[in-house]
Amino acid sequence: MDRDAQVRRLMSRLRVTRRVFVLYGLPGSGRSSLAEELAHEAGAALRLPVHWLSLGVRATAPERLVLRLLLTSGAAQTELGPALLSSPEVLAGLAAAACQNHFRAHPAVIVLDDLPEETDGKDLLRTAVRLLENTGCVLIATTTRASRTSNSDRSGVMRHQVDLTPEAYQDLLSTTRRAPALLRTLAAWEGAEFSPNMALPVENLTRAEWREAVEGLHQEGLLQQPRPGWYELRPALRAQLVLDQTHDELRSNSQRLDSGLSRAVTREPGALGDAAEPYVDLALRLCRSREANSREFTTWLAHRLVGEGALLPLLMLRTGLGHATDDRDTLRVPLAAAARQTGQPQTAADALAGIDTPDAIRELAMARHHMGQLETAEAPLDALPADVPDGWALHTRASIRTDRGELREVGRLLRRAIETHQVHGDRRGEAWAVFHYGRWRLICGDPEEARKRLETARFAFHDVGDVVGAAWTSTELCRVELLLNGARTDVMLELKATPLPHREHGDVRGEAWATLLQGVAYADADLPGSAAHVLLQTLRLFESVPDRLGIAWTRHHLAWLTRGDRTAAIRRVLDAFDETGCRNGQAWTLLLQAARPGADRGRLDEAQSRFEALGDTAGERWVAVVRDGPGSSRGARAVRALTSCYPRPVLLNTEWDDFDTIPLMVRHLLPETAASPDGAPPGEVSPAAFVRLALLDDSPATGGEARIVLRVEPGREYSGAPSEELLPPLTARATPLTRADVDPTNSVPVNGTALFRFTAYQTGLHRIRFTIEDAESHTVLQQVETEIEVIGTTGTAPVSAAPQPMPTPAFAQGA
């Protein structure tokens, strides 16, 4: 019977009650090709997608099959979050339920190609039949013997023998001589599935020649394609090519390939993506063979899977590792990290109890941070060696202190973290450190600098495949847009979309913080009903984690929106902030408590002292506005000072003549821009020093570098004293506000002068902001902006660029 006739005959048997086909026959009979055509016809007739799972030399545990079905079909992973640190029985139950739920909602044609022989094949088929029963799916399995399915007749299995055709078999034998060395290498390898982009160490072939050879072998029919971009040697061809090799020879050759591949993949940048499952197989083979680098590679892979949010491959690694070796603790820390990311920080912290390795200590600190335990989150990090720079520990400390409202050391910690990650070549760690740096600059009231850093972090996260970091960065970039542009329609639409990426990767905490931002925006846009609705939804999300810090802030905002007596609500909020250790949350809640009519004015004094302890001069001005009213002399000075603290849209809707509320957005900021101690406008302060800028190159051109010298000179009343005696140690950093770059991008010491190199990428007027900081306290002392005109590649520009004062320049006492 020809192939078309076989397909027609099988399609005629396709019934509602008979949707399981077993195609059996000897190697080379064409059963895989028949399965491919049958799957295509069935999918077209029933309008169902086709999912192909090759089995063959792979591990045959039934629970692995269930996870592969979920991964291949694109099922959501979030249901399996609780299985990360649970028992194997719980994992099996959750995976089976998730599989049935998915295929009931999304039926498909599923092909299990090359079922193994005897008991393993029977178990896999029974598992698949049981899972897909009453789902509307069509199941097609290929195997060598029909007897192994005899116990499944009750499920309506249709068995069909694929006859061996001598002509096809001879064609198969003849093609094996076209590329014997490469084909024999692939036949000996236990990895089965490969990609032309995979760094498989094939002898005597360059990467380009390897890709070309793979494409040629596929076109000749020697390779089958289980999914786009991935290939496998046909099972019958594999069987023929290894006939003259012993089992020990095959194992030795395969281990040599695996060892080379494991070394190559850890050196390659970029995300694992759809290569995650093949590399899980590689890790399990290394463990079974007792390769020297098996533990190192497995740990590396697990952390990469966590970063990419690849929960299903991580669970495959966990189940496979349980069968391959008794050392299950290899995955304890990455599994805890994955659990934390999926909204289970308490479970993660419990799993890490008693483990004193550096990665476990860092992960415990992050778990406590995600629970909002800011007072104790840093404590585990103190156990790490103080004399060994640890990038992850540094930026974790910085992020904890940022949420506590203690920003004095944050900049220094983050700069050290970025440098440490760069030295160690840790691109993912560097991306997270840059993200926290951008978030810190945003909280400090510098959205332009924050945007640049966050954009850098977002590109880095995409490069390394860290979907969780990319989602968080998009959320913070949306906050930048909200600060700079207000609640415009396009900003609000983008804001509504920010929780979705977090939800897709099971990051409940990320979804909650993104939703909180949306509620804050509604409140500041004078939509209290919408704000309250969103904030109540946010509260439920935070409570499911639970993130105590998020709960406290959400209740704070809800209390502000509450009409009437809110004494009890405010008291709960204050207790919540006291429990978390969030200093700025405590200060703002005390101010909230003091702002209501008839309140104890002593609370204002307490709020004032809290803001002073944080160095939050903006908070101090808000206390003045509440205490004296914006219409009073002191209140008016405070209002003028506050306009220098935030981008204009933040206070745009504030009705100073009828003042009754403080924007919710400002409570999450601790801007560096400060007024004088008595609340006088900035212009009344006599500066102790001035910033001078000089452009050293006459003709800045697009794509070329121009040198800019920054000099700090004493003020007029100190003109007789040398600057090194008058001024404290200073640092400066440059932030281009147009399409240009300025190097160095980090803060540099100002030893009298500092040199920067400016590169423009388009003609026109370019703006650069320079920020001068105290090198020890990292307090911002002054910000100035300058403009440089770039006419073109042959144009000229002014020989000097005078600094332009910012609309609301920052001054600090004594500088």
Side-chain angles (χ1 to χ4, degrees):
M1 186 183 299
D2 62 28
R3 182 65 46 76
D4 292 339
Q6 292 181 77
V7 172
R8 288 195 298 271
R9 177 184 174 188
L10 292 169
M11 284 294 296
S12 69
R13 303 292 183 90
L14 185 61
R15 300 286 187 270
V16 174
T17 58
R18 178 165 293 212
R19 293 203 170 195
V20 180
F21 297 87
V22 176
L23 312 182
Y24 66 96
L26 296 175
S29 60
R31 57 178 191 260
S32 296
S33 298
L34 178 59
E36 185 176 358
E37 294 191 27
L38 176 60
H40 175 76
E41 289 292 333
L46 299 174
R47 296 183 180 179
L48 298 177
V50 177
H51 305 311
W52 187 286
L53 277 75
S54 297
L55 300 171
V57 296
R58 285 184 177 84
T60 55
E63 60 268 27
R64 172 70 184 276
L65 175 63
V66 180
L67 294 172
R68 286 194 69 199
L69 283 170
L70 288 168
L71 181 63
T72 304
S73 61
Q77 306 179 95
T78 52
E79 294 181 53
L80 297 182
L84 285 163
L85 292 166
S86 63
S87 66
E89 293 75 21
V90 171
L91 169 57
L94 288 174
C99 196
Q100 290 174 328
N101 293 337
H102 174 75
F103 284 113
R104 286 193 185 104
H106 308 282
V109 178
I110 298 170
V111 181
L112 303 181
D113 187 38
D114 199 21
L115 279 169
E117 296 184 359
E118 305 305 334
T119 304
D120 289 340
K122 289 182 181 180
D123 290 343
L124 291 176
L125 186 58
R126 287 170 182 162
T127 298
V129 169
R130 183 176 65 254
L131 288 174
L132 302 177
E133 194 170 11
N134 300 321
T135 61
C137 290
V138 177
L139 176 62
I140 303 171
T142 71
T143 181
T144 56
R145 300 181 184 178
S147 59
R148 68 182 58 165
T149 64
S150 59
N151 293 332
S152 301
D153 288 338
R154 62 180 178 82
S155 301
V157 175
M158 169 64 187
R159 297 192 300 275
H160 175 77
Q161 182 175 5
V162 184
D163 294 327
L164 177 67
T165 56
E167 294 79 13
Y169 197 71
Q170 291 303 318
D171 289 343
L172 179 64
L173 290 174
S174 65
T175 55
T176 61
R177 292 192 289 270
R178 297 185 185 178
L182 175 57
L183 291 173
R184 285 174 65 86
T185 298
L186 294 174
W189 184 49
E190 294 182 359
E193 191 178 44
F194 59 89
S195 163
N197 297 322
M198 185 181 285
L200 196 65
V202 181
E203 295 178 1
N204 302 321
L205 288 179
T206 65
R207 293 293 291 270
E209 291 171 339
W210 157 245
R211 293 191 185 95
E212 183 179 354
V214 169
E215 294 296 339
L217 290 172
H218 176 245
Q219 292 175 4
E220 294 175 358
L222 300 173
L223 304 178
Q224 61 188 19
Q225 194 172 28
R227 53 185 172 129
W230 290 84
Y231 301 89
E232 282 190 358
L233 194 61
R234 293 194 178 275
L237 186 57
R238 179 190 297 274
Q240 291 299 312
L241 289 169
V242 299
L243 285 176
D244 59 345
Q245 298 184 58
T246 66
H247 177 77
D248 290 342
E249 289 174 335
L250 291 172
R251 176 58 60 87
S252 176
N253 290 334
S254 182
Q255 289 178 6
R256 177 181 55 81
L257 289 170
D258 282 343
S259 181
L261 179 58
S262 66
R263 289 192 299 270
V265 70
T266 54
R267 294 192 299 263
E268 288 195 346
L272 297 177
D274 58 1
E277 185 186 356
Y279 288 136
V280 167
D281 288 333
L282 172 61
L284 297 178
R285 291 195 303 274
L286 291 172
C287 289
R288 287 194 296 268
S289 64
R290 307 292 183 181
E291 280 286 330
N293 68 332
S294 62
R295 187 184 182 94
E296 178 184 357
F297 179 78
T298 301
T299 303
W300 171 88
L301 175 62
H303 283 290
R304 287 292 297 271
L305 294 173
V306 172
E308 295 185 24
L311 186 60
L312 288 168
L314 183 62
L315 288 170
M316 290 181 190
L317 184 60
R318 179 201 153 175
T319 58
L321 200 62
H323 291 283
T325 176
D326 294 330
D327 188 11
R328 299 187 183 186
D329 286 341
T330 303
L331 298 184
R332 180 66 62 87
V333 174
L335 286 171
R340 170 182 54 80
Q341 286 185 176
T342 54
Q344 305 171 80
Q346 184 64 64
T347 302
D350 293 342
L352 296 168
I355 306 178
D356 58 359
T357 60
D359 56 348
I361 289 171
R362 291 189 295 265
E363 183 54 45
L364 178 59
M366 285 190 275
R368 289 183 179 178
H369 182 194
H370 284 201
M371 285 189 283
Q373 297 178 356
L374 303 182
E375 288 284 17
T376 61
E378 265 194 86
L381 300 176
D382 296 335
L384 295 173
D387 57 342
V388 180
D390 186 323
W392 285 93
L394 287 166
H395 75 238
T396 298
R397 278 189 189 275
S399 64
I400 293 169
R401 294 184 184 183
T402 299
D403 281 343
R404 275 210 308 257
E406 300 172 354
L407 302 184
R408 290 185 180 88
E409 289 292 307
V410 167
R412 181 183 64 84
L413 290 171
L414 289 173
R415 283 188 283 270
R416 285 186 61 203
I418 293 171
E419 293 170 359
T420 303
H421 287 306
Q422 289 174 339
V423 168
H424 291 90
D426 183 358
R427 298 180 64 221
R428 179 170 172 254
E430 182 185 354
W432 275 107
V434 173
F435 163 78
H436 288 302
Y437 193 97
R439 183 169 174 265
W440 167 63
R441 294 311 310 156
L442 180 59
I443 291 173
C444 289
D446 188 359
E448 291 286 1
E449 171 74 1
R451 174 192 279 160
K452 181 175 181 180
R453 300 293 181 167
L454 291 169
E455 289 284 5
T456 301
R458 180 162 65 176
F459 286 126
F461 280 132
H462 283 304
D463 285 345
V464 299
D466 193 322
V467 295
V468 175
W472 275 94
T473 306
S474 295
T475 297
E476 291 300 310
L477 282 168
C478 197
R479 184 150 65 124
V480 169
E481 294 303 317
L482 196 60
L483 286 170
L484 290 174
N485 300 307
R488 297 187 325 197
T489 302
D490 57 333
V491 176
M492 294 302 292
L493 288 174
E494 184 180 354
L495 191 60
K496 289 180 181 179
T498 53
L500 180 59
H502 297 285
R503 189 181 311 130
E504 288 177 343
H505 304 297
D507 184 2
V508 182
R509 180 174 176 270
E511 181 185 357
W513 280 103
T515 308
L516 176 65
L517 179 59
Q518 185 180 344
V520 168
Y522 277 133
D524 288 346
D526 199 21
L527 297 169
S530 298
H533 173 75
V534 173
L535 289 172
L536 287 172
Q537 177 185 353
T538 304
L539 185 60
R540 289 191 292 271
L541 288 169
F542 278 128
E543 288 175 341
S544 70
V545 175
D547 181 348
R548 294 168 180 82
L549 179 64
I551 292 171
W553 274 117
T554 307
R555 286 180 173 166
H556 173 97
H557 296 318
L558 284 168
W560 187 267
L561 294 172
T562 300
R563 300 293 182 183
D565 187 11
R566 51 193 181 194
T567 304
I570 293 175
R571 188 179 297 113
R572 286 197 302 270
V573 173
L574 194 57
D575 289 343
F577 277 125
D578 288 341
E579 181 185 357
T580 65
C582 178
R583 309 280 192 270
N584 56 321
Q586 294 166 345
W588 277 107
T589 305
L590 287 168
L591 181 57
L592 170 63
Q593 191 174 31
R596 61 188 179 84
D600 179 8
R601 308 303 281 182
R603 290 293 189 184
L604 279 175
D605 296 333
E606 192 174 350
Q608 174 87 12
S609 65
R610 296 287 183 100
F611 283 125
E612 288 175 355
L614 288 170
D616 184 358
T617 53
E620 296 175 47
R621 301 299 156 244
W622 284 114
V623 172
V625 171
V626 171
R627 186 192 301 275
D628 303 312
S632 67
S633 176
R634 285 192 62 182
R637 289 199 301 270
V639 168
R640 288 197 299 272
L642 284 170
T643 60
S644 71
C645 295
Y646 311 104
R648 185 172 179 273
V650 175
L651 302 179
L652 186 63
N653 295 325
T654 303
E655 298 290 344
W656 298 111
D657 294 337
D658 187 24
F659 178 76
D660 65 347
T661 186
I662 301 172
L664 270 62
M665 181 67 71
V666 306
R667 301 153 203 239
H668 296 274
L669 304 176
L670 284 88
E672 293 172 333
T673 309
S676 61
D678 62 353
E684 297 179 13
V685 180
S686 178
F690 293 90
V691 177
R692 308 292 185 192
L693 297 173
L695 182 66
L696 301 185
D697 298 279
D698 293 345
S699 303
T702 55
E705 286 188 345
R707 294 168 296 164
I708 303 173
V709 170
L710 179 147
R711 183 187 303 276
V712 178
E713 299 177 352
R716 294 180 179 86
E717 59 184 292
Y718 303 104
S719 58
S723 59
E724 59 268 19
E725 294 181 6
L726 169 67
L727 301 175
L730 302 174
T731 62
R733 69 173 183 275
T735 306
L737 305 180
T738 51
R739 190 168 178 267
D741 282 334
V742 178
D743 290 322
T745 58
N746 55 296
S747 295
V748 296
V750 181
N751 298 318
T753 62
L755 179 66
F756 296 90
R757 297 182 182 275
F758 165 75
T759 304
Y761 297 107
Q762 62 186 23
T763 58
L765 205 61
H766 288 268
R767 291 169 54 227
I768 308 172
R769 175 182 298 166
F770 293 88
T771 303
I772 314 301
E773 295 181 341
D774 185 293
E776 295 179 354
S777 67
H778 303 289
T779 301
V780 173
L781 304 178
Q782 179 68 52
Q783 286 184 321
V784 296
E785 292 183 8
T786 189
E787 294 180 344
I788 298 177
E789 186 174 4
V790 177
I791 299 176
T793 55
T794 59
T796 59
V799 296
S800 65
Q804 303 296 320
M806 295 177 60
T808 53
F811 292 88
Q813 190 175 19

